[in-house]
């Protein structure tokens, strides 16, 4: 029987245990483990190689992504940079999103290009075209922050046709909203800092996939480069995963309701949400997504209009990052994203839907 996503989130945290053992996960903050006298290698030897709390989180993430294995890292960028390092050689042509998470572009341009990697930046609409000449394609969907959806099935077909590796950043959608591996991606990477852990209290990242050699090479990079996750962060992330279904359902419901309200609001120039009928990405989103996510992109007149919205609202938190329990607003031009001055990304929290809709509606008027 196929369980629903909330049941799978709860089960992923672990439902089996010997009588007397705690139902909740327990963190194991060890740097070193007892070795046996005969020098046979136990599963855990040293904290940079492995950790029991990581393993529990990794099997939960692999289950949710539909992967055979997952590897956790100290941040999303820790996971992404490890994958890009492993896949990049001199003369590799690497496609990265021109409109996606800006630090991925920065990493490719500042660290990989000087090593001889050809870095090609492509917007969501140009991804397939760029993939036709690539060795590695790093795609993000929905693109953060503009929320264009990339056609993963088409992109995977192009990549497979030329033997290119397709990596998909699943941070915005989460595995509860999108399953890139089932659409043909070779690897999923994500920041678990956002909606998956969902409480704005930790940084974490992961890689999930089904190719044993590729996953082993990424694990080797984690060991040698050392961007590891702390045991307490792994434990907090695991603890949060159990409520991911509940939280993400509410965030998606709030995003849908706020997007609908914004569409008809006179102070709004434009609004993007993949779940909004009439959105340029809606048809594709319906085809490939299970949920449309908690992010809404809105364009107001100018930067002061975004500042006024935050000032007048009683519920909005001005913060970068997203996916937490609070509804947050971030004016992305301040970070250098290629968007207009009045562009704001709203990350919906888990407040009551009517409260957050009327708060934003009032604050805009
Ligand atoms: C936040 C984010 C990252 C980076 O994750 P960190 O945990 O901050 O390192 C990567 N990709 C996307 C789409 C993000 O939103």
């Amino acid at each position: 029987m196929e369980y629903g996503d909330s049941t799978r989130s709860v089960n992923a945290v672990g439902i089996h245990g010997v009588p007397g053992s705690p139902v909740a996960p327990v963190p194991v903050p060890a740097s070193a483990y007892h070795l046996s006298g005969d020098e046979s290698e136990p599963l855990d030897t040293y904290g940079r190689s492995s950790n029991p709390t990581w393993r529990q989180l990794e099997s939960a993430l692999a289950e949710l992504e539909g992967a055979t294995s997952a590897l956790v890292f100290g941040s999303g960028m820790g996971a992404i940079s490890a994958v890009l390092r492993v896949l990049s050689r001199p003369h590799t042509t690497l496609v990265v999103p021109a409109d996606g998470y800006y630090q991925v572009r920065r990493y490719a341009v500042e660290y990989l290009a000087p090593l001889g990697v050809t870095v090609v930046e492509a917007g969501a609409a140009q991804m397939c075209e760029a993939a036709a000449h690539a060795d590695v394609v790093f795609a993000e969907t929905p693109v953060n922050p503009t929320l264009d959806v990339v056609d993963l099935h088409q992109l995977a077909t192009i990549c497979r046709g030329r033997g290119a590796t397709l990596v998909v950043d699943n941070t915005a959608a989460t595995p509860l909203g999108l399953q890139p591996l089932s659409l043909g991606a070779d690897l999923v990477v994500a920041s678990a800092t956002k909606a998956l852990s969902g409480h704005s209290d930790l940084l974490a990242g992961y890689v999930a996939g089904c190719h044993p050699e590729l996953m082993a090479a990424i694990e080797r990079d984690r060991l040698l480069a050392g961007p590891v996750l702390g045991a307490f962060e792994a434990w907090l992330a695991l603890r949060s995963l159990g409520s991911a279904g509940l939280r993400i359902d509410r965030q998606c419901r709030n995003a849908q309701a706020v997007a609908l309200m914004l569409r008809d609001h006179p102070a709004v120039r434009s609004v993007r949400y993949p779940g909004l009928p009439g959105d340029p990405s809606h048809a594709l989103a319906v085809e490939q997504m299970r949920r449309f996510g908690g992010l809404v992109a809105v364009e107001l007149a100018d930067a002061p209009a975004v500042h006024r919205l935050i000032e007048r609202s009683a519920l909005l938190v001005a913060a970068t990052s997203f996916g937490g329990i609070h509804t947050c607003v971030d004016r992305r031009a301040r970070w250098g994203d290629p968007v207009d001055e009045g562009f704001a990304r709203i990350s919906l929290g888990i407040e009551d839907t009517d409260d957050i809709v009327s708060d934003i509606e009032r604050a805009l008027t």
Side-chain angles (χ1 to χ4, degrees):
M1 177 182 155
E2 182 79 355
Y3 285 128
D5 287 332
S6 282
T7 313
R8 291 172 59 238
S9 301
V10 171
N11 288 0
V13 178
I15 50 170
H16 302 296
V18 295
S21 65
V23 170
V26 178
V28 183
S31 61
Y33 300 82
H34 289 288
L35 304 176
S36 60
D38 66 2
E39 300 194 5
S40 62
E41 279 226 350
L43 192 53
D44 296 304
T45 55
Y46 185 63
R48 182 157 33 76
S49 333
S50 70
N51 173 289
T53 319
W54 294 356
R55 271 198 298 281
Q56 214 178 337
L57 178 58
E58 286 169 344
S59 70
L61 291 169
E63 206 286 318
L64 291 176
E65 289 285 3
T68 50
S69 68
L71 294 163
V72 291
F73 288 78
S75 69
M77 283 308 296
I80 290 166
S81 60
V83 165
L84 294 182
R85 272 193 301 278
V86 164
L87 294 175
S88 293
R89 298 280 174 275
H91 310 301
T92 297
T93 297
L94 165 68
V95 175
V96 293
D99 42 8
Y101 187 68
Y102 69 117
Q103 291 185 332
V104 172
R105 262 191 317 279
R106 299 302 345 142
Y107 183 77
V109 168
E110 291 176 28
Y111 290 89
L112 300 177
L115 302 178
V117 173
T118 303
V119 177
V120 177
E121 298 184 22
Q126 282 78 48
M127 269 283 152
C128 286
E129 206 177 301
H133 310 283
D135 303 304
V136 180
V137 177
F138 186 97
E140 190 186 315
T141 180
V143 173
N144 168 24
T146 52
L147 303 184
D148 280 316
V149 174
V150 175
D151 187 336
L152 287 187
H153 182 70
Q154 192 187 355
L155 191 58
T157 305
I158 294 168
C159 288
R160 203 176 311 115
R162 53 178 284 109
T165 305
L166 175 60
V167 184
V168 176
D169 185 331
N170 202 20
T171 304
T174 82
L176 276 62
L178 180 70
Q179 304 255 284
L181 296 174
S182 76
L183 294 166
D186 296 295
L187 289 173
V188 174
V189 294
S191 169
T193 310
K194 316 291 169 55
L196 212 56
S197 64
H199 290 74
S200 312
D201 55 5
L202 66 90
L203 281 104
Y206 67 90
V207 181
C210 300
H211 300 301
E213 303 88 46
L214 194 48
M215 293 304 287
I218 296 162
E219 186 171 9
R220 180 84 185 148
D221 183 277
R222 182 180 66 181
L223 172 72
L224 298 183
V228 294
L229 185 63
F232 288 117
E233 277 75 11
W235 169 68
L236 266 181
L238 198 54
R239 178 189 196 273
S240 303
L241 219 49
S243 63
L246 267 180
R247 286 184 284 102
I248 290 168
D249 269 344
R250 175 63 68 86
Q251 288 173 333
C252 293
R253 171 143 63 100
N254 286 355
Q256 183 83 34
V258 164
L260 266 174
M261 179 276 289
L262 292 174
R263 188 181 62 180
D264 301 325
H265 200 291
V268 170
R269 288 197 170 166
S270 70
V271 60
R272 291 294 308 271
Y273 182 62
L276 202 58
D279 185 276
S281 286
H282 185 61
L284 190 51
V286 168
E287 226 171 86
Q288 78 180 21
M289 296 180 78
R290 297 145 65 104
R291 291 176 176 77
F292 302 119
L295 293 179
V296 173
V298 64
E299 205 184 313
L300 304 182
D302 46 23
V306 179
H307 300 154
R308 271 197 308 278
L309 164 67
I310 294 163
E311 244 161 60
R312 290 179 183 168
S313 150
L315 297 177
L316 295 179
V317 176
T320 193
S321 193
F322 59 89
I325 58 173
H326 302 89
T327 296
C328 294
V329 181
D330 196 17
R331 195 180 70 81
R332 292 302 304 177
R334 73 181 285 180
W335 306 110
D337 276 355
V339 291
D340 285 336
E341 291 296 317
F343 178 100
R345 182 185 66 201
I346 304 180
S347 164
L348 278 302
I350 62 168
E351 301 90 347
D352 288 287
T353 306
D354 291 347
D355 292 340
I356 195 68
V357 170
S358 48
D359 178 76
I360 296 174
E361 190 171 22
R362 246 193 330 261
L364 278 172
T365 310

